[in-house]
Amino acid sequence: MNISDFHGSATALSVEANGRGIAGGTTHGAGRSTPLRVDAQRNLEHVLRAAREVFGELGYGAPMEDVARRARVGVGTVYRRFPSKDVLVRRIAEEETARLTEQAKAALGQEEEPWQALSRFLRTSVASGAGRLLPPQVLRVGSASEDGAEEAEAARVPHQRQAVTAVGAPELRVVGTRPPSEDEPSEDAGAGALLEVVGRLVDRAREAGELRTDVTVADVLLVIATAAPALPDPAHQAAASTRLLDILLEGLRSRTV
């Protein structure tokens, strides 16, 4: 780290301690902000792009130094924009969660057939790679019997509470009882809106008899996260994602269809 980066990092961390850090601009006095300079805006875009790539490949546990190297800036530059790693992780998780939410809304609004709507959402989301950057809490599933039926009922999103599960099969649900670790974004990063709209896609497909009755919102989000492998060759990655998603979609469909 060079001297200027060190001072930039120290300044950013000091701002965070006072609760006044802003990732998108600089502050002058109370309530005033100024736009980033052209070079600073360019650096911010490089950092965000690099963070998406690094976290998508290595997970949210990847160090800030890896992000800085990918962005070709000093680590102090990263800290000037994002006073801590948690701030950067939250930014990426919120953006990717919002992107998936919009993709789900588009599928609901533009596809009349329930299965086509769910399938479109899954294909679009997997192609975008956003599933690899979802908050880990959204992807966590477990058996309802682990914590008791009453707690499990409260933890599920509304559309999952009316799901009919297969006889003898554990009911999968999103688990939000464990607090996030230091390297994980918190659950308030738009996850509720995503769960609600995906729940509507799941309900429609299930009610139409096209989706297995034991499939939950959590299962659908896991498909998005696992069907987009990070491979070094883009063409190979696209082909592998398409093949894997075709297999997973077939597994989601009701056997009566």
Side-chain angles (χ1 to χ4, degrees):
M1 181 187 302
N2 58 44
I3 293 176
S4 62
D5 282 343
F6 174 82
H7 287 299
S9 178
T11 300
L13 290 173
S14 175
V15 170
E16 181 195 23
N18 291 327
R20 296 191 294 271
I22 295 180
T26 57
T27 59
H28 300 283
R32 290 195 297 139
S33 64
T34 59
L36 293 173
R37 300 189 314 273
V38 173
D39 58 338
Q41 179 63 34
R42 187 181 302 112
N43 281 341
L44 174 60
E45 292 170 358
H46 289 168
V47 168
L48 289 172
R49 186 182 305 112
R52 292 187 192 98
E53 293 174 358
V54 169
F55 293 147
E57 295 168 9
L58 305 177
Y60 284 120
M64 292 282 265
E65 288 77 8
D66 284 2
V67 174
R69 279 193 292 271
R70 185 71 63 92
R72 296 184 178 181
V73 299
V75 71
T77 298
V78 180
Y79 278 111
R80 277 194 292 273
R81 300 278 71 83
F82 300 96
S84 72
K85 180 181 172 183
D86 181 64
V87 175
L88 177 57
V89 166
R90 281 173 179 268
R91 171 74 174 265
I92 297 300
E94 287 173 358
E95 289 182 352
E96 299 308 305
T97 300
R99 190 200 309 189
L100 283 178
T101 301
E102 289 306 311
Q103 290 169 350
K105 289 179 179 179
L108 273 172
Q110 298 176 20
E111 295 288 348
E112 295 183 3
E113 295 296 325
W115 177 257
Q116 292 303 319
L118 180 60
S119 177
R120 169 177 171 163
F121 167 63
L122 285 169
R123 293 189 184 281
T124 303
S125 300
V126 168
S128 74
R132 294 194 297 268
L133 295 165
L134 280 171
Q137 293 85 354
V138 176
L139 301 175
R140 190 171 296 115
V141 296
S143 171
S145 62
E146 293 176 359
D147 303 313
E150 183 175 347
E151 182 177 334
E153 177 68 15
R156 290 193 296 274
V157 296
H159 296 87
Q160 287 179 273
R161 296 176 186 171
Q162 300 176 10
V164 179
T165 58
V167 177
E171 183 175 1
L172 297 181
R173 60 178 173 82
V174 175
V175 176
T177 55
R178 188 179 70 82
S181 68
E182 183 178 351
D183 292 332
E184 294 179 355
S186 66
E187 289 182 275
D188 61 2
L194 175 63
L195 293 173
E196 193 278 332
V197 69
V198 175
R200 288 161 61 191
L201 285 168
V202 168
D203 276 355
R204 288 181 61 200
R206 184 188 294 120
E207 290 167 2
E210 297 178 303
L211 183 69
R212 283 172 42 181
T213 58
D214 60 331
V215 172
T216 66
V217 173
D219 298 325
V220 171
L221 294 177
L222 282 173
V223 167
I224 296 172
T226 57
L231 301 176
D233 180 72
H236 186 197
Q237 176 173 311
S241 292
T242 299
R243 173 63 176 162
L244 180 56
L245 182 56
D246 286 342
I247 294 171
L248 293 173
L249 281 170
E250 187 63 28
L252 293 176
R253 298 204 72 168
S254 170
R255 291 183 176 84
T256 61
V257 177

